[in-house]
Amino acid sequence: MLLTCGPHSLDLTMPVVMGVLNVTPDSFSDGGLFLHPENAIRQARRMAAEGAGIIDVGGESTRPGADAVEVGEELDRVIPVVEALVAGIDLPVSVDTSKPEVMKAAIAAGASMINDVMALQESGAVEAVAGPGVAICLMHMQGRPRTMQAAPDYEDVVRDVHHFLAQRVRACELAGIDRSRLVIDPGFGFGKSLEHNLALLAALAEFCRDGLPVLVGLSRKSLIGQLTGRPAGERLAGSAALAALAVHQGAALVRAHDVAATVDAVRIAVAVRRSRLAE
Ligand code: 8Y7
């Protein structure tokens, strides 16, 4: 499977690790570390050397309880880093944003993918990405980051999330966006209890059967803390285990902070998956 990704074409035959580059002062796991373009480039090069296939730059913390960021502030954080990465590394650059203004500026600065935790529901977002041939990740979230973990509620979490993503895919297609540009993501931790997250992970193969690449973001997330009792800095083993479980069910992209360990987990899961498919 090939993902159209701006001037790049991302080969998903082997699942791709998306390295996380937070350019926020307040991210729960690496806040403030990569705000400077030089630090961002150094970290992106390290992730590339460890086997990342794409770098995801985010200037708005979407962790539970986080406040929204003004558009000017987000542009100031993200655009210089995108420009530096596009000039300085070979990998496609993704930008994690929900704001149409940031999407447009990021694409103009050379971003190849827009990763939107709101699945292009902001007014003007679909129009902002439809023309240029960038890839788009449509993620499910219930509620908004500030309050989403207060009382997540579903009739049937797998069916509800699946239905939402199918609707957003249809909205994109109606706007003329080719399916070869789309990625779907159930949005682990975004308005989901532990039980919801586990149900979605257990049913991930159903999402993978839609014919669109599935991206998962599980790295260091609080479900690992809930299952292991470990703080965010000690969730590497848990993150690798979840990455393997997701890839074994067919996930095509894995968003991760710890690229080297995730690449190992992906290789192992793929080998097991392929040996079963070859039976
Ligand atoms: C995800 C994400 C985050 C995810 C996609 C964190 C920006 C929270 N999580 N994007 N972003 N999927 N597509 O813990 O799961 O990294 S931010």
Side-chain angles (χ1 to χ4, degrees), residues 203-221:
L204 199 70
E206 293 180 31
F207 292 87
C208 299
R209 274 196 286 273
D210 283 356
L212 291 176
V214 171
L215 185 152
V216 295
L218 290 153
S219 181
R220 301 183 186 172
K221 282 194 175 165

Side-chain angles (χ1 to χ4, degrees), residues 40 43 46-47 54 59 114 128 134 141 188 191 202 245 257 261 271 275:
Q43 174 66 0
R46 182 177 313 144
M47 293 194 286
I54 184 165
I114 298 296
V134 294
M141 164 164 60
F188 291 101
L245 289 165
H257 301 83
S275 79

Side-chain angles (χ1 to χ4, degrees), residues 12-24:
L12 301 176
T13 311
M14 184 74 176
V16 164
V17 175
M18 168 186 265
V20 178
L21 192 63
N22 281 318
V23 292
T24 54

Side-chain angles (χ1 to χ4, degrees), residues 51-71:
I54 184 165
I55 304 295
D56 190 39
V57 180
E60 178 180 42
S61 180
T62 39
R63 72 187 155 82
D67 283 319
V69 174
E70 294 295 327
V71 61

Side-chain angles (χ1 to χ4, degrees), residues 215-270:
L215 185 152
V216 295
L218 290 153
S219 181
R220 301 183 186 172
K221 282 194 175 165
S222 73
L223 79 154
I224 303 168
Q226 290 170 295
L227 293 168
T228 63
R230 294 191 185 277
E234 297 172 14
R235 295 179 185 164
L236 176 57
S239 301
L242 291 174
L245 289 165
V247 167
H248 188 251
Q249 293 183 80
L253 296 116
V254 181
R255 188 176 177 276
H257 301 83
D258 305 286
V259 171
T262 309
V263 167
D264 283 2
V266 166
R267 285 205 180 124
I268 288 165
V270 164

